[in-house]
Amino acid sequence: MSTTTSRRLKTARFDIYRNMVLRTARKDDNVEVTDANDYPFDTNYELFTAGLVLGFLRDNPRTESEGSYSQDFIQVNRVGGSSENEYREGIEFIYKLIELEHSDEDPDDSELWELALQYADAGVEAIDQDISLKDEFDILAFIDEADGKWEGRLEDVLVDQ
């Protein structure tokens, strides 16, 4: 069974986080934040969670991230501060689905968490590409895509159990 104390949010795409997360941009000495509305996410864990959901739904992990994580944010069990945090619960939910999907392979927690990190980076890249094309974060398109893929993706995970 997994333990959240050893799992940390990490990314190999910190360049994207710096451009899309307000608090990260403000911490960067070389970035002047002139309009907070230019940043669709307030925290790194908000973007990580959105990326994890999208990457998982698309079932397309960014394998090139493995071993090249340039930024380590926070332990999963500290995300959001309270035990009822929706971002932490979302991360845990997707992680449990990854565990279920790969339970017949008997992977250890570090292998499962690695896959979660790869899904998150893939989703973050997809969000970045979408923003680059549309010049804004289209939350409705994101919700529509998620809504259209949940049922099939859950069937993929749960039917094989």
Side-chain angles (χ1 to χ4, degrees):
M1 193 53 53
S2 64
T3 58
T4 59
T5 54
S6 62
R7 292 183 277 132
R8 296 186 65 84
L9 306 189
K10 300 177 186 180
T11 185
R13 296 308 318 262
F14 187 65
D15 56 317
I16 295 174
Y17 280 78
R18 189 177 22 239
N19 292 327
M20 290 201 304
V21 178
L22 182 60
R23 290 185 190 172
T24 301
R26 285 185 172 152
K27 289 179 183 178
D28 191 330
D29 293 334
N30 299 321
V31 175
E32 181 180 336
V33 176
T34 56
D35 185 357
N37 292 323
D38 289 341
Y39 299 89
F41 299 92
D42 287 331
T43 65
N44 289 331
Y45 59 78
E46 289 176 2
L47 177 56
F48 180 92
T49 306
L52 178 59
V53 169
L54 186 59
F56 176 78
L57 287 175
R58 290 183 175 181
D59 195 17
N60 187 22
R62 184 181 188 273
T63 56
E64 56 269 31
S65 288
E66 186 175 4
S68 62
Y69 300 107
S70 60
Q71 189 64 37
D72 182 328
F73 303 128
I74 190 172
Q75 289 179 338
V76 173
N77 65 343
R78 297 191 62 192
V79 167
S82 75
S83 61
E84 300 295 319
N85 183 271
E86 61 194 3
Y87 298 104
R88 182 181 319 135
E89 290 173 358
I91 293 166
E92 291 294 346
F93 178 69
I94 298 296
Y95 183 77
K96 291 296 181 192
L97 291 175
I98 293 169
E99 262 185 336
L100 279 171
E101 185 171 39
H102 296 277
S103 61
D104 60 334
E105 301 163 20
D106 197 31
D108 65 29
D109 287 342
S110 64
E111 293 170 314
L112 294 169
W113 186 241
E114 175 63 39
L115 184 55
L117 295 173
Q118 291 174 13
Y119 279 137
D121 272 0
V124 165
E125 279 188 344
I127 292 168
D128 183 54
Q129 290 170 355
D130 188 60
I131 290 172
S132 294
L133 291 172
K134 297 176 183 172
D135 206 29
E136 66 180 6
F137 180 49
D138 188 351
I139 187 76
L140 294 178
F142 177 77
I143 292 170
D144 284 345
E145 179 178 350
D147 189 44
K149 290 187 177 191
W150 268 117
E151 187 175 339
R153 189 68 173 100
L154 287 175
E155 281 181 18
D156 290 347
V157 172
L158 299 175
V159 169
D160 292 336
Q161 298 309 310

